[in-house]
Amino acid sequence: SSKDRNKCLEKLKQLRAEVESGRIAATGSTTVAAWMDRWLEEIQKPKLRPKSYRDYRITIDKHITPHVGDKKLLKLTPDHVRQMHQAIESDRQAQKAHVILQAALSAAVKEGVLPRNVAQIAERPRYTPGRRQPLTADEAKLLIKWCADHPEDPMSTRWAAAILLGARQGELLGLRWSHVDLENGFVDLEWQLQQLRQDHGCGERHSDGTWPCGRTRPGWCPQRKWDFPRGFEHHVLHRSLVLTRPKTSAGTRVVPIPAPLLALMQQTRRIPSPHGLVWCDHAGRPINPRDDHRRWKELLAELGLPEAPLHVARHTTATLLMQAGVSEQVRMKILGHVS
């Protein structure tokens, strides 16, 4: 639209050129929220792993849309972006929201929707994550000794492996006996267990936010479905617990089993599992990551060790390997680090 007929014709000509060239056209009324949804669902989703997509969706819905979602895309300014930073209480979440918004606006520039990316002008919020302290050598020894003293506990090898293999939680919970070579002392970390979210399969969401099935959570929908990107390798084991490939090629690796852990695994009591899992619940089903973390915290408390997230065990492995004089290249191979 324009008050001048010639200008209106020129705009129409430009719009037709954008459509013919394959660029996504945006009108003056297109909001940031509308573009964020289009960008995430149509441009990013086919490239994202399910957990990454879920993380993007939460950040957009909780931190971007509430603060700048109603702004017109073409009228978004660096000051609007800075106001979004100030409105988000957590520095970590503010930085994450900025990174995602900047990526979405970069795509808008690339598609010819925007002339510039205002998020690149507004400085990204600073966030310095707290350093996770690994267990000391003596604390690690205490934990491993507990494992050696309780061979009848099926989880004793689970906690010893956390310290001695340097594997991620999902890699150990998804480990199957078919990928363990007790004769030669190796494990093949080719898969990992993840808890993934399903989607409603009952139809489109109503304007009031409800679903045709009447259930709130997608997992409760009778027609629930998986919505994975094309080529996403996975095996559904039990409900929301799914075996997936590691995110990077470095994550897929063969790791030696240290002698103390090998001895424990050779004498451990195996629980029958239809999935052939090394560690499972009493019924042979995969262990929920939340339950796994809760039992880890209970063990630390029982041993009088400081409370620490489960990922600290992996930091401990890296530290012990370094203190033992293992070369950086070998440590990277064991831990599955790219650099």
Side-chain angles (χ1 to χ4, degrees), residues 164 316-327 330-331 334-335:
L164 295 173
T316 302
T317 309
T319 301
L320 295 178
L321 289 172
M322 182 174 62
Q323 292 176 350
V326 177
S327 70
V330 174
R331 295 202 310 270
I334 291 175
L335 295 168

Side-chain angles (χ1 to χ4, degrees), residues 1 44 85-86 94 97 103 157 162 168 171 202 214-215 219 225 243 263 279 329:
S1 64
Q44 280 297 104
H85 298 163
Q86 295 171 1
T157 51
R168 299 172 177 85
E171 292 170 339
C202 54
R215 309 293 177 87
K225 62 179 182 179
L243 282 182
W279 297 287
Q329 190 66 24

Side-chain angles (χ1 to χ4, degrees), residues 99-334:
V99 170
I100 292 176
L101 177 62
Q102 181 173 321
L105 297 183
S106 291
V109 173
K110 187 177 180 180
E111 297 282 350
V113 174
L114 281 178
R116 63 172 185 165
N117 186 341
V118 297
Q120 289 179 333
I121 301 172
E123 186 175 349
R124 185 175 70 174
R126 294 183 180 181
Y127 167 69
T128 304
R131 186 173 179 82
R132 292 174 174 173
Q133 293 298 326
L135 300 178
T136 65
D138 288 339
E139 290 170 341
K141 287 178 184 177
L142 180 63
L143 193 150
I144 294 171
K145 184 179 185 303
W146 181 92
C147 297
D149 292 341
H150 295 79
E152 76 287 349
D153 189 330
M155 291 296 286
S156 63
T157 51
R158 160 73 185 95
W159 309 127
I163 297 294
L164 295 173
L165 285 184
R168 299 172 177 85
Q169 181 191 36
E171 292 170 339
L172 292 178
L173 294 184
L175 185 63
R176 291 169 288 178
W177 286 113
S178 59
H179 288 62
V180 178
D181 184 349
L182 292 179
E183 182 177 349
N184 296 299
F186 290 98
V187 294
D188 184 356
L189 300 175
E190 189 180 9
W191 295 88
Q192 60 182 347
L193 185 76
Q194 287 191 322
Q195 188 167 27
L196 302 179
R197 182 186 175 96
Q198 291 180 278
D199 289 341
H200 278 275
C202 54
E204 294 295 325
R205 194 172 193 171
H206 298 149
S207 58
D208 61 358
T210 61
W211 294 89
C213 66
R215 309 293 177 87
T216 304
R217 297 184 179 180
W220 295 345
C221 176
Q223 290 85 39
R224 60 186 178 275
K225 62 179 182 179
W226 297 105
D227 186 17
F228 295 139
R230 185 177 300 176
F232 180 71
E233 293 186 78
H234 68 282
H235 298 292
V236 179
L237 297 188
H238 179 69
R239 294 183 178 175
S240 61
L241 299 175
V242 183
L243 282 182
T244 70
R245 294 283 190 183
K247 186 182 295 185
T248 65
S249 58
T252 302
R253 61 202 188 279
V254 176
V255 177
I257 306 175
L261 177 58
L262 182 60
L264 284 172
M265 295 186 73
Q266 288 172 337
Q267 62 178 323
T268 189
R269 178 173 64 88
R270 298 192 186 186
I271 298 178
S273 168
H275 312 293
L277 293 167
V278 176
W279 297 287
C280 53
D281 66 13
H282 66 280
R285 296 171 300 211
I287 297 174
N288 188 293
R290 292 182 180 178
D291 293 336
D292 184 62
H293 190 260
R294 174 182 54 78
R295 293 165 77 171
W296 161 261
K297 292 175 66 176
E298 291 173 351
L299 176 61
L300 293 182
E302 180 182 338
L303 297 177
L305 296 177
E307 184 176 341
L310 186 50
H311 200 70
V312 159
R314 186 166 152 81
H315 288 263
T316 302
T317 309
T319 301
L320 295 178
L321 289 172
M322 182 174 62
Q323 292 176 350
V326 177
S327 70
E328 182 178 340
Q329 190 66 24
V330 174
R331 295 202 310 270
M332 285 170 53
K333 291 289 186 182
I334 291 175

